[in-house]
Amino acid sequence: MLYLKTDEEVGMLRRSNLLVSKTLAEVAARLKPGITTLYLDRIAESFIRDNGGVPGFKGYGGFPNTLCTSVNDEVVHGIPSNYTLREGDILSVDCGVILDGWYGDSAYTFAVGEISDDLKKLVEFTRASLEEGVSEAVAGKRVGDISYAVQQKAESGGFSVVRELVGHGIGKKLHESPEVPNYGRRGSGPLLEKGLVICIEPMINLGRKETMQMRDGWTIRTVDGKPSAHFEYAVAVDKGKADVLTTFEFVEEVLNKT
Ligand code: MG
Ligand code: MG
């Protein structure tokens, strides 16, 4: 059963996702070689609480922290730690909040200092595959149209699409129906209707698509040890054009200054 949100409810989700967008910019402002992922986690948690929100991931299914921080061959769900970021790393930061009962959820993959051309291309194509998916999040289309668009773009760059983890509906729960895979057939899956709010979140690998879970019970990494990138938007399906509730403009303002 799909829960279609009213305009007012979409407005509430816009607020919670705006707080996520601003939290990611706080992370961007501190990110540099030599700092730990746990430091970024503390910055994010304070910022969310100072702005009236509650970290959305902390305690969710027992997850211990505010951010998921996934470095290099870690795909998603990395646990912040004393790992010290190094020049040339890529860091995927996934952030969730609850604001007035509504969830926000989005992710951005950052370059730590200068990164290799291969990594630049991976990050660029992952971001572009998200944008392709968003352009299909229109009333009257189907979830499979989004999935197909993401997959086509990612694979056109020679990259592979993670299968084990998918996007999702979002609202008063972090994960609602439908599932939004990053691979699939055009015209398949649930119908997209105005008011459906979904997270589109391609996880794209430089090498093979297969992943495995670490013994910490959370971290997902690539089986072949090659890097992976992740971007995520929360999007309200609308007529004619998707209404993107996440914005990376605050992140980019910070990144363009440094
Ligand atoms: Mg998500
Ligand atoms: Mg997320």
Side-chain angles (χ1 to χ4, degrees):
M1 155 99 204
L2 302 185
Y3 176 21
L4 303 180
K5 278 79 179 174
T6 64
D7 288 349
E8 195 185 354
E9 290 171 331
V10 170
M12 297 300 280
L13 284 161
R14 193 184 314 281
R15 288 178 66 232
S16 55
N17 281 287
L18 184 62
L19 179 52
V20 174
S21 302
K22 289 181 174 171
T23 305
L24 289 173
E26 293 295 308
V27 169
R30 269 76 170 195
L31 186 77
K32 59 180 181 189
I35 60 144
T36 67
T37 52
L38 198 55
Y39 169 71
L40 296 176
D41 187 74
R42 297 209 178 102
I43 295 292
E45 178 166 2
S46 304
F47 185 78
I48 290 166
R49 294 194 191 280
D50 287 349
N51 284 277
V54 175
F57 297 163
K58 200 170 187 175
Y60 187 89
F63 189 78
N65 291 81
T66 294
L67 300 178
C68 295
T69 53
S70 308
V71 183
N72 297 335
D73 63 329
E74 295 173 350
V75 179
V76 287
H77 302 169
I79 300 174
S81 71
N82 289 321
Y83 175 80
T84 302
L85 292 168
R86 286 186 283 203
E87 178 96 18
D89 284 344
I90 55 170
L91 172 68
S92 301
V93 177
D94 197 344
C95 179
V97 309
I98 311 166
L99 186 63
D100 297 328
W102 296 88
Y103 273 93
D105 181 14
S106 90
Y108 194 96
T109 297
F110 296 97
V112 182
E114 265 304 304
I115 59 172
S116 69
D117 288 346
D118 276 0
L119 286 178
K120 275 183 199 160
K121 187 181 169 196
L122 171 67
V123 171
E124 194 181 294
F125 268 79
T126 306
R127 172 77 182 272
S129 73
L130 170 59
E131 302 291 350
E132 292 293 321
V134 166
S135 68
E136 297 293 315
V138 175
K141 297 208 178 210
R142 290 185 179 271
V143 169
D145 294 315
I146 297 172
S147 306
Y148 177 84
V150 171
Q151 183 178 13
Q152 285 302 304
K153 184 63 190 181
E155 291 181 353
S156 75
F159 303 111
S160 66
V161 175
V162 170
R163 303 296 204 269
E164 293 90 343
L165 298 131
V166 297
H168 51 91
I170 187 167
K172 284 193 165 177
K173 289 187 184 158
L174 178 57
H175 297 115
E176 297 184 354
S177 292
E179 290 195 339
V180 184
N182 298 302
Y183 60 95
R185 280 183 301 115
R186 233 185 271 188
S188 68
L191 184 66
L192 298 172
E193 294 179 73
K194 179 178 162 64
L196 184 66
V197 181
I198 52 175
C199 288
I200 305 174
E201 50 177 314
M203 289 151 260
I204 306 299
N205 295 350
L206 185 68
R208 286 169 50 190
K209 64 180 184 299
E210 289 80 14
T211 65
M212 59 184 178
Q213 190 174 47
M214 297 291 89
R215 280 202 208 121
D216 62 17
W218 284 104
T219 312
I220 305 290
R221 63 166 39 143
T222 58
V223 163
D224 62 11
K226 292 189 177 167
S228 183
H230 179 214
F231 285 87
E232 177 179 19
Y233 276 150
V235 170
V237 173
D238 212 330
K239 291 174 185 157
K241 193 173 185 296
D243 180 4
V244 182
L245 306 181
T246 307
T247 173
F248 292 146
E249 75 178 282
F250 303 109
V251 165
E252 270 144 20
E253 220 170 86
V254 169
L255 297 181
N256 291 339
K257 253 187 260 168
T258 52

